Amino acid sequence: MGKVIALSSNKGGILKTSLAVNLSGTLATHGKKVLLIDMDNQGNVATTFGLDPDDIEFTIYDLLVKNPELANPDLALNKVSNNIDIIVANDDMAYFEIDVLTDTEHYPKYFELLRDVVSLFKAKYDYIIVDTPPQMGLIAANVFYAVQDVIIPFQPEEYAFRSLVKSVSAIDKFKKVNKELQVKEIVPVKVKRTVMHQAYLDSAKSYAKARNLQFSNIIIKDSIKYAEMVARMNIPVTLFDDVPKTLMPYKKVYTELAKELGYIG
């Protein structure tokens, strides 16, 4: 049975999607079969692989609301590499919370919809990775019901520190109903060599230590290289076979992260 992992934070713009797709790429290149599920209506997982999310017939929304037109759940799978399938999100997910909460008679277990979807695919994959939007609403609740490991990206700035505390607090609440749920690791991202960033990193490390949470030794530096390569090649850098020497550190850091997380040997 595959391990289910989420990249989650209630702050936007802190590389959740970049972490999700590059971690997926690393696992795939190490022979792991990966399903990448997008829960964010922006649809950035699809665009990373050169797909237009609005052109995809069946998305995560259809699976969550059990669209009767989707006779076979496998129709929502989109193969993007030898070992990676994705389930796309698009603008339909912007209406998910309204559609479900205004029809609770039809969706009585509205926190468990993603868990039902995951159960359809869990036996087919080594890892299921869930990319999430930066909100702590019904979508986040579904994620915390369905996953085992939560990786929290942390940008070393004031607002991100507040978001880190709120994210951990929300996860703690859902541990009561999902006994497998844990903060797997806090990963520093968009890090610059500044006194301010170092100060916030130190504060976050102290917070993690006080809460007995793992704080990653791997740092994802602030760089446009990831976005540049996606724009040029329509795949994350970790899936490149012939990476130029100048870009090798950007690929290698994700291998190191996957090893630190214990997902590869």
Side-chain angles (χ1 to χ4, degrees), residues 15 154-156 187-194 197-198 201 218-223:
L15 304 188
F154 171 70
Q155 182 181 4
V187 179
V189 299
K190 302 181 79 170
V191 178
K192 300 177 182 177
R193 285 180 142 185
T194 66
H197 273 209
Q198 188 58 53
L201 282 174
I218 308 302
I219 290 176
I220 309 297
K221 295 180 181 179
D222 190 30
S223 174

Side-chain angles (χ1 to χ4, degrees), residues 3 149-151 182-186 214 260-263:
K3 179 173 282 292
D149 292 356
V150 181
I151 299 169
Q182 66 170 340
V183 176
K184 180 68 173 178
E185 196 162 78
I186 300 164
Q214 184 69 31
E260 183 183 73
L261 291 163
Y263 297 154

Side-chain angles (χ1 to χ4, degrees), residues 7-188:
L7 281 299
S8 181
S9 171
N10 71 336
K11 186 180 186 303
I14 57 170
L15 304 188
K16 286 191 297 294
T17 300
S18 184
L19 280 167
V21 298
N22 279 293
L23 185 58
S24 296
T26 295
L27 295 172
T29 57
H30 283 77
K32 308 298 183 182
K33 191 165 176 58
V34 180
L35 173 61
L36 180 52
I37 300 176
D38 196 355
M39 293 287 284
D40 190 341
N41 69 286
Q42 294 181 82
N44 289 335
V45 168
T47 56
T48 296
F49 292 97
L51 302 176
D52 184 339
D54 295 323
D55 289 341
I56 305 298
E57 183 175 6
F58 295 116
T59 68
I60 186 61
Y61 176 87
D62 298 292
L63 287 165
L64 291 167
V65 302
K66 300 177 174 61
N67 182 351
E69 295 183 11
L70 182 56
N72 181 356
D74 286 355
L75 293 174
L77 299 175
N78 301 270
K79 192 173 189 63
V80 292
S81 83
N82 287 336
N83 284 327
I84 302 178
D85 295 330
I86 66 172
I87 299 177
V88 170
N90 60 20
D91 285 341
D92 289 344
M93 278 302 291
Y95 304 96
F96 169 71
E97 189 162 332
I98 294 173
D99 292 344
V100 170
L101 294 182
T102 56
D103 191 8
T104 54
E105 184 175 342
H106 190 65
Y107 305 105
K109 297 182 178 180
Y110 46 80
F111 284 163
E112 301 177 27
L113 299 174
L114 179 59
R115 186 159 68 180
D116 291 345
V117 171
V118 166
S119 69
L120 298 173
F121 301 105
K122 202 171 180 181
K124 301 178 183 179
Y125 296 91
D126 298 304
Y127 291 96
I128 296 177
I129 297 179
V130 183
D131 187 27
T132 65
Q135 294 94 25
M136 286 294 168
L138 182 60
I139 292 175
N142 267 263
V143 170
F144 296 151
Y145 256 81
V147 309
Q148 297 158 301
D149 292 356
V150 181
I151 299 169
I152 303 177
F154 171 70
Q155 182 181 4
E157 296 179 358
E158 181 178 358
Y159 296 142
F161 187 82
R162 294 178 62 223
S163 294
L164 170 63
V165 174
K166 291 178 180 179
S167 296
V168 171
S169 177
I171 291 165
D172 283 344
K173 292 177 181 178
F174 279 91
K175 285 181 179 179
K176 299 173 183 177
V177 291
N178 179 0
K179 303 300 182 183
E180 293 184 293
L181 183 64
Q182 66 170 340
V183 176
K184 180 68 173 178
E185 196 162 78
I186 300 164
V187 179

